[in-house]
Amino acid sequence: MSRILLVEDDDRIVGFIKRGLEAEGYVVDVTDSGGDALAMVRETPYALIILDRMLPGIDGLEVCRMLRREQHEHLILMLTARDSLQDKVEGLKGGADDYLTKPFAFDELIARMEALLRRRSSTGTDPVLRVGDLALDPVGKKVWRGKREISLTAKEFKLLAYLMSHSGAVISRTRLLNNVWDLSFDPETKVVDVYIRYLRSKIESADEKPLIKTVRGFGYVVSA
């Protein structure tokens, strides 16, 4: 899957990571609360959790331990300003799959994430998003319809990834503007509609079943 949970209480780090991951085609949910993170993970099958160790209230290490006690198998990449060997050992023993010390380069974060996702894929858990015969690989940045590989621009890929990660749910234009274009307001353009047309022209040929549906007055839904 391409949906990531970022649990971090430093707004600067949140902005840095969220913008970068969304540019890479990931869908990113954010919280600064360990308690909220637990609730979100219990409801959503995230591909990976980026978890700050030093959180107010329930700290990241305890969040990690609680998730493992509850048998959650989500990949967890722990972030921390602590770089001692003992801190790293505690994090890994607490259930983290990897450990990254602040400050870090974004390229290293992506490399570690993709290594974890490849490892999970090689052990039998499929990271590819699928709706009917449409498949999207968030790590390899590839899309197929049946056996036909489809070439998308970065923005088209990001839009399709967001819709497919919420398959079956009607997503409003406002929500798409916020999560795909990083806009907190409606620019009063038809940019969403235009990109939906681009996607349809590429993934829905004349003899293929339509997968992107318009729900008038509400938004769009991807379903088989």
Side-chain angles (χ1 to χ4, degrees):
M1 290 184 65
S2 64
R3 197 169 186 182
I4 307 296
L5 176 61
L6 172 58
V7 190
E8 171 63 65
D9 65 338
D10 186 319
D11 290 340
R12 293 172 299 174
I13 295 176
V14 168
F16 162 67
I17 294 177
K18 187 172 188 292
R19 285 192 301 271
L21 291 183
E22 289 178 341
E24 292 290 323
Y26 293 98
V27 177
V28 184
D29 293 339
V30 176
T31 181
D32 60 1
S33 160
D36 287 348
L38 289 168
M40 294 166 77
V41 172
R42 288 163 183 157
E43 295 179 357
T44 303
Y46 290 103
L48 184 141
I49 303 165
I50 301 173
L51 178 62
D52 183 31
R53 176 165 177 157
M54 301 297 290
L55 293 170
I58 305 174
D59 70 19
L61 184 57
E62 184 58 23
V63 169
C64 192
R65 288 170 174 160
M66 291 174 72
L67 290 174
R68 296 315 188 207
R69 284 198 296 268
E70 294 178 11
Q71 311 270 311
H72 291 282
E73 297 182 357
H74 300 71
L75 293 168
I76 299 175
L77 173 58
M78 188 169 284
L79 303 180
T80 184
R82 296 179 173 181
D83 60 357
S84 74
L85 177 60
Q86 183 58 37
D87 288 323
K88 293 179 181 179
V89 169
E90 286 182 358
L92 295 171
K93 283 187 173 181
D97 295 283
D98 200 357
Y99 202 98
L100 187 57
T101 304
K102 302 174 184 176
F104 54 86
F106 182 74
D107 286 348
E108 182 180 7
L109 174 66
I110 285 291
R112 287 176 181 257
M113 286 176 54
E114 292 184 347
L116 289 174
L117 291 167
R118 283 194 300 271
R119 188 190 310 167
R120 172 61 55 86
S121 179
S122 68
T123 59
T125 300
D126 190 356
V128 175
L129 290 168
R130 300 180 189 276
V131 177
D133 60 349
L134 180 66
L136 182 148
D137 178 359
V139 177
K141 300 295 186 289
K142 293 183 178 181
V143 177
W144 302 267
R145 182 82 192 258
K147 295 182 179 180
R148 176 171 64 92
E149 187 168 347
I150 300 167
S151 177
L152 299 180
T153 67
K155 189 63 71 177
E156 290 167 350
F157 187 93
K158 186 175 180 180
L159 174 58
L160 184 60
Y162 191 84
L163 289 168
M164 290 182 69
S165 70
H166 298 80
S167 63
V170 179
I171 308 298
S172 69
R173 288 175 177 81
T174 299
R175 191 169 168 190
L176 291 173
L177 285 169
N178 181 250
N179 288 278
V180 179
W181 280 269
D182 295 317
L183 294 175
S184 58
F185 63 94
D186 188 343
E188 298 184 356
T189 69
K190 294 190 177 293
V191 64
V192 174
D193 309 75
V194 169
Y195 271 83
I196 290 290
R197 285 201 298 271
Y198 291 162
L199 282 180
R200 282 174 169 156
S201 70
K202 293 183 177 183
I203 71 173
E204 299 175 357
S205 64
D207 59 343
E208 291 174 323
K209 178 183 177 181
L211 297 177
I212 303 176
K213 288 109 175 174
T214 302
V215 181
R216 294 192 179 278
F218 293 96
Y220 298 98
V221 59
V222 168
S223 62

